[in-house]
Amino acid sequence: SDAPVIAQHGPEEVAVCEVSLLEIFVSKDCSFKNSTGQVLKEVIKDGAGSWCNNPSDEGLAVLRVEKISTAEGRCLFPEPGASPMEMSVNVGDGEVCDALECAVLEMRPHETALVTCTDPSFLVGAPLGEKPVPKSSEYTLRVTLLDFNPGPDAPSFDEEDRLTFALRR
């Protein structure tokens, strides 16, 4: 029978249920090519400043990588008994894995995020280095942007400075 529960017990048996929304997590596709879903960033602790207050290409970012794990729960970083890694990186210079390169451009100071990637090649580089990455449907990194210095304002460069900037990359 498709009759609602209230019809079976009468109106005096009505239950009231209150639902409260405690948190909203904002997710963003941070992939190199937008909307491919290869790298997704979910904010779990909001950062300071406006939505456009984030590192730019060639800026310096200070990151803390707390954990990297597979969808199955296997911890890839840090090693048992080791601490999270703090690192200063020049954004866009390939000093860290592509998953971090993609996410840091969309982060604000003091923001903590879960960065999920589906391609194991996006984990090659710091902090995992060149060690083999086990096969998984996805990988999750917990990262905090501690601080940053913005990069140069490349659009305001004269032609010679733009060429020098591009060749340095």
Side-chain angles (χ1 to χ4, degrees):
S1 75
D2 292 300
V5 174
I6 197 166
Q8 294 176 4
H9 299 288
E12 66 278 355
E13 300 290 329
V14 173
V16 176
C17 185
E18 286 187 33
V19 178
S20 297
L21 178 62
L22 301 176
E23 287 185 279
I24 296 176
F25 294 109
V26 177
S27 294
K28 181 169 185 163
D29 187 343
C30 298
S31 306
F32 286 133
K33 294 180 181 177
N34 286 340
S35 301
T36 61
Q38 290 178 309
V39 179
L40 299 174
K41 178 183 72 87
E42 181 179 335
V43 177
I44 57 174
K45 180 180 169 265
D46 218 1
S50 68
W51 63 270
C52 60
N53 183 28
N54 44 14
S56 57
D57 209 18
E58 288 286 312
L60 180 69
V62 181
L63 304 171
R64 179 175 50 239
V65 181
E66 297 170 26
K67 185 175 183 179
I68 303 175
S69 57
T70 65
E72 297 77 24
R74 180 174 173 197
C75 182
L76 305 178
F77 176 87
E79 296 290 332
S83 299
M85 178 187 283
E86 289 188 11
M87 59 180 86
S88 295
V89 298
N90 291 307
V91 179
D93 280 357
E95 297 173 8
V96 294
C97 65
D98 286 346
L100 289 176
E101 289 277 8
C102 290
V104 73
L105 291 169
E106 301 293 337
M107 294 181 75
R108 296 183 298 160
H110 310 291
E111 176 182 313
T112 300
L114 294 178
V115 179
T116 304
C117 68
T118 55
D119 186 342
S121 71
F122 277 58
L123 295 179
V124 175
L128 291 179
E130 301 298 323
K131 71 180 185 182
V133 177
K135 194 162 186 73
S136 180
S137 59
E138 63 182 33
Y139 308 87
T140 303
L141 300 83
R142 183 182 172 106
V143 61
T144 300
L145 176 63
L146 300 173
D147 200 6
F148 77 94
N149 289 325
D153 183 23
S156 68
F157 289 173
D158 62 30
E159 190 173 324
E160 186 176 322
D161 287 341
R162 279 188 199 186
L163 183 58
T164 302
F165 178 76
L167 291 173
R168 191 173 65 234
R169 308 290 333 262

